[in-house]
Amino acid sequence: MSSTDRQRIERVPGSRRVRLTPAPGTSAEPVPGDDTNADVAADAASGAASGPNDDRLRRDVPPHY
């Protein structure tokens, strides 16, 4: 891999932050299958991934100090 095929670090003007250039062969556009959090939320809402302790875990709350 040559140095032109790699990501570069760019300074953000007026800031102490930096950002990376996009990796070669990638796109900033989201792909419909990338949203895994929505899949987990849908499974939890439908009850598809429920186990024997799920109801108890949802009722239990941590102690407040």
Side-chain angles (χ1 to χ4, degrees), residues 1-59:
M1 181 186 306
S2 69
S3 63
T4 59
D5 292 342
R6 299 186 63 178
Q7 288 179 299
R8 293 185 320 276
I9 297 173
E10 296 178 342
R11 292 189 182 271
V12 176
S15 176
R16 293 176 52 186
R17 296 185 179 264
V18 296
R19 67 174 167 233
L20 289 173
T21 58
T26 61
S27 167
E29 297 299 317
V31 178
D34 283 349
D35 193 9
T36 57
N37 289 338
D39 296 337
V40 171
D43 287 344
S46 68
S50 65
N53 294 328
D54 286 348
D55 290 331
R56 180 178 175 197
L57 290 171
R58 288 187 185 103
R59 285 192 315 266

